[in-house]
């Protein structure tokens, strides 16, 4: 007994005192870690699925894809949205739109420096004001114009704004002489740059000798064999054919019209639908794995028996089986197997696209379509303010706090027991040492 190590013995006995509590905490930790990892996996899968389906339902993206073709290149670039209808259109382009560009003969630094008062520059019913006092050069004048926006440029919703300020001033050096050039940021004959000097107190005549370098013109075109001529201030014809954007880049030769054909892009539409199905199937695999009811730790999911998580699969499945745009998924060859995973019959889809392609857009992308319904359903799980996953994370956080508190109590209990045992066995060792010393005297 005199050879006993009080520290080692105290540690062993103190560990036995907390063994039951330690095993309980270890089990709770493993469960909590598994659920925390599972919750992160579920959140990632739901977020990935949501991003995938929302990418198929934006202002510039849709499940239904249309294809625009032309009989000749170099005349225009054409894109067709999901709302475009099948058809063939013929255009004879006789003139492209151009933006006005003006120069001013005799205008130099001295003329700007000696001018005073307020210059008003008008453009298509709008105007800006430039204070001439304090401007000492053409460069100062150009800067004053460029930093002042027309009202339409300040309104992002204006069709004429295009993120530009209306007029751009630049300086050009020709034969060693600097000249001021004013450019309309918008094409079309209605965008005529007018200099109103009525508010100037001196130098009112410095803009009299204006020169039109490039005239502002409208795009001119006819449709098919019709003699009626149409005009557009822009080379972009977004309103000519519903769902079709036409950007003119050149004129057509006489007797050789630009023929535009719009048709359904069956292959790309199928790819879009398949992308939706793949995203859904991947999400379903994740949820099934997390809720699997296996008999051991390797096969049993962290959320096995969790009704709130299992209900997500049922809810999404019910939405899929719903009716949107007076259609259901079987109309497009989409079917679910016994495990709930989706597959696509391309022959059925191709037939539906041939009969009525717009039903695809209505089913997936309509205001009350499948994608919006699914996105709304996901919100009650992913909402950062009231979502189920947020509530579940808060529960796990509370469990972690509880484990931390239990661990702290366990450590305190261990320290108390250790100190008690250490004191006892240190005293015992001291007594045994004394006894051994006494016995050695008799021996």
């Amino acid at each position: 007994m005199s050879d006993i190590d009080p520290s080692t013995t105290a540690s062993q006995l103190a560990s036995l005192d907390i063994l039951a509590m330690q095993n309980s905490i270890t089990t709770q930790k493993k469960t909590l870690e598994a659920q925390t990892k599972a919750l992160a996996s579920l959140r990632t899968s739901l977020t990935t699925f949501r991003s995938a389906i929302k990418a198929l339902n934006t202002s510039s993206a849709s499940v239904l894809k249309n294809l625009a073709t032309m009989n000749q290149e170099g005349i225009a670039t054409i894109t067709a949205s999901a709302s475009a209808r099948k058809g063939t259109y013929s255009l004879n382009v006789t003139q492209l739109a151009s933006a006005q560009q003006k120069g001013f003969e005799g205008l130099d630094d001295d003329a700007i420096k000696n001018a005073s008062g307020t210059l008003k520059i008008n453009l298509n019913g709008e105007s800006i004001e430039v204070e001439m006092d304090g401007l000492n050069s053409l460069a100062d004048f150009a800067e004053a114009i460029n930093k002042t926006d027309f009202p339409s440029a300040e309104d992002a919703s204006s069709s004429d704004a295009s993120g530009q300020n209306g007029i751009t001033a630049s300086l050009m050096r020709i034969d060693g002489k600097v000249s001021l050039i004013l450019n309309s940021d918008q094409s079309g004959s209605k965008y005529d740059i007018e200099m109103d000097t009525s508010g100037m107190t001196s130098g009112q005549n410095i803009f009299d000798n204006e020169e039109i370098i490039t005239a502002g013109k409208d795009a001119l075109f006819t449709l098919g064999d019709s003699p009626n001529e149409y005009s557009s201030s822009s080379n972009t014809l977004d309103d000519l054919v519903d769902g079709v954007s036409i950007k003119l880049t050149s004129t057509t030769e006489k007797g050789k019209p630009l023929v535009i054909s719009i048709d359904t892009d069956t292959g790309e539409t199928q790819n879009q639908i398949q992308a939706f199905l793949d995203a859904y199937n991947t999400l379903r695999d994740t949820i099934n794995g997390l809720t699997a009811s296996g008999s051991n730790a390797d096969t049993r999911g962290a959320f096995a028996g969790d009704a709130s998580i299992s209900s997500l699969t049922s809810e999404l499945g019910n939405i899929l089986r719903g009716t949107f745009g007076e259609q259901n998924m079987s109309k497009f060859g989409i079917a679910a197997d016994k495990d709930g995973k989706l597959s696509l019959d391309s022959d059925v889809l191709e037939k539906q696209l041939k009969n009525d392609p717009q039903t695809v857009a209505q089913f997936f992308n309509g205001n009350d379509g499948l994608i919006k319904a699914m996105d709304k359903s996901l919100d009650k799980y992913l909402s950062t303010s009231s979502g189920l996953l947020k509530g579940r994370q808060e529960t796990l956080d509370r469990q972690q706090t509880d484990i931390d508190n239990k661990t702290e109590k366990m450590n305190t209990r261990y320290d108390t027991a250790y100190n008690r045992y250490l004191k006892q066995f240190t005293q015992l060792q001291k007594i045994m040492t004394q006894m051994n010393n006494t016995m050695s005297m008799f021996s």
Side-chain angles (χ1 to χ4, degrees):
M1 291 294 292
S2 61
D3 294 332
I4 192 171
D5 180 2
S7 177
T8 301
T9 304
S11 177
Q12 292 171 345
L13 292 175
S15 297
L16 288 174
D17 276 6
I18 65 168
L19 182 59
M21 183 182 292
Q22 189 176 47
N23 289 339
S24 175
I25 291 176
T26 300
T27 300
Q28 291 179 35
K29 277 186 174 181
K30 287 182 179 179
T31 301
L32 180 61
E33 288 172 358
Q35 291 190 349
T36 300
K37 183 178 179 180
L39 188 64
S41 176
L42 179 59
R43 179 181 284 108
T44 299
S45 296
L46 287 174
T47 303
T48 300
F49 175 68
R50 190 180 211 179
S51 298
I53 63 174
K54 290 180 76 171
L56 300 174
N57 191 38
T58 67
S59 58
S60 59
S62 172
V63 172
L64 177 65
K65 294 296 182 181
N66 285 317
L67 184 64
T69 57
M70 299 175 290
N71 67 329
Q72 51 184 309
E73 299 295 327
I75 305 298
T77 57
I78 304 172
T79 55
S81 69
S83 62
R85 301 281 180 171
K86 290 183 180 182
T88 301
Y89 311 91
S90 177
L91 264 69
N92 298 285
V93 184
T94 57
Q95 178 175 288
L96 292 179
S98 59
Q100 187 183 79
Q101 186 179 69
K102 280 187 175 182
F104 298 88
E105 186 178 349
L107 185 63
D108 55 20
D109 290 345
D110 288 337
I112 296 297
K113 185 175 182 179
N114 294 327
S116 61
T118 303
L119 169 68
K120 183 181 288 187
I121 305 178
N122 301 317
L123 184 71
N124 190 35
E126 296 184 342
S127 62
I128 59 172
E129 294 183 348
V130 178
E131 298 299 329
M132 302 299 294
D133 299 88
L135 301 181
N136 296 313
S137 64
L138 286 174
D140 290 347
F141 182 58
E143 182 181 0
I145 293 175
N146 290 336
K147 71 180 183 181
T148 306
D149 290 337
F150 279 79
S152 63
E154 297 172 357
D155 180 7
S157 64
S158 170
S159 60
D160 293 333
S162 301
Q164 299 170 319
N165 71 342
I167 291 177
T168 299
S170 58
L171 300 179
M172 182 178 294
R173 186 177 297 276
I174 303 175
D175 295 332
K177 183 178 180 182
V178 177
S179 298
L180 174 74
I181 306 296
L182 295 184
N183 301 271
S184 169
D185 292 336
Q186 304 297 325
S187 60
S189 59
K190 65 181 180 180
Y191 293 99
D192 178 33
I193 302 171
E194 299 176 346
M195 313 296 277
D196 181 356
T197 60
S198 60
M200 293 177 61
T201 53
S202 64
Q204 292 92 334
N205 62 343
I206 62 176
F207 302 105
D208 287 352
N209 298 325
E210 67 177 25
E211 175 189 6
I212 296 179
I213 300 173
T214 302
K217 297 179 182 179
D218 293 336
L220 302 176
F221 58 92
T222 61
L223 300 177
D225 296 327
S226 172
N228 297 325
E229 188 173 62
Y230 301 93
S231 65
S232 170
S233 61
S234 170
N235 288 317
T236 300
L237 311 178
D238 285 338
D239 299 326
L240 185 62
V241 180
D242 287 342
V244 180
S245 176
I246 304 171
K247 295 184 179 181
L248 301 176
T249 57
S250 182
T251 57
T252 57
E253 296 181 23
K254 188 174 182 179
K256 294 183 178 180
L258 174 67
V259 179
I260 302 169
S261 298
I262 308 298
D263 202 353
T264 304
D265 190 337
T266 302
E268 190 57 32
T269 300
Q270 180 174 326
N271 290 340
Q272 295 290 94
I273 294 177
Q274 189 61 54
F276 176 91
L277 303 187
D278 290 343
Y280 176 82
N281 289 338
T282 298
L283 173 62
R284 193 175 183 93
D285 284 342
T286 299
I287 297 175
N288 288 344
L290 295 176
T291 58
S293 55
S295 58
N296 57 64
D298 294 332
T299 58
R300 186 174 178 81
F303 292 133
D306 191 316
S308 59
I309 301 298
S310 298
S311 66
L312 173 58
T313 304
S314 300
E315 186 170 345
L316 293 179
N318 289 335
I319 293 174
L320 278 169
R321 290 188 290 272
T323 299
F324 302 95
E326 300 182 355
Q327 310 293 331
N328 58 57
M329 65 179 187
S330 63
K331 194 79 172 180
F332 311 104
I334 302 172
D337 62 18
K338 60 182 180 63
D339 296 321
K341 299 187 71 171
L342 303 177
S343 60
L344 178 65
D345 187 327
S346 57
D347 291 335
V348 175
L349 174 63
E350 186 174 353
K351 182 179 179 181
Q352 182 62 22
L353 288 175
K354 185 176 181 180
N355 292 336
D356 191 354
Q358 286 300 317
T359 56
V360 173
Q362 293 163 7
F363 179 77
F364 285 98
N365 301 108
N367 290 330
D368 298 317
L370 173 63
I371 292 179
K372 284 194 174 181
M374 280 199 159
D375 182 53
K376 184 178 180 181
S377 177
L378 291 172
D379 196 52
K380 70 181 182 183
Y381 291 89
L382 292 172
S383 171
T384 56
S385 59
S386 60
L388 184 147
L389 298 193
K390 178 179 182 292
R392 184 58 59 86
Q393 184 62 58
E394 291 172 348
T395 299
L396 295 180
D397 291 341
R398 286 193 295 270
Q399 292 176 0
Q400 181 63 59
T401 300
D402 182 55
I403 290 175
D404 291 341
N405 291 335
K406 288 181 178 179
T407 302
E408 185 177 352
K409 290 179 180 179
M410 181 186 69
N411 292 335
T412 300
R413 181 173 177 176
Y414 173 87
D415 291 340
T416 301
Y418 175 81
N419 291 329
R420 184 176 71 252
Y421 288 128
L422 180 63
K423 182 178 180 181
Q424 291 172 350
F425 281 95
T426 300
Q427 184 65 25
L428 178 61
Q429 185 185 50
K430 182 178 179 181
I431 293 171
M432 294 304 298
T433 300
Q434 290 174 348
M435 291 177 63
N436 287 336
N437 290 338
T438 301
M439 291 178 66
S440 66
M441 291 172 60
F442 291 101
S443 63

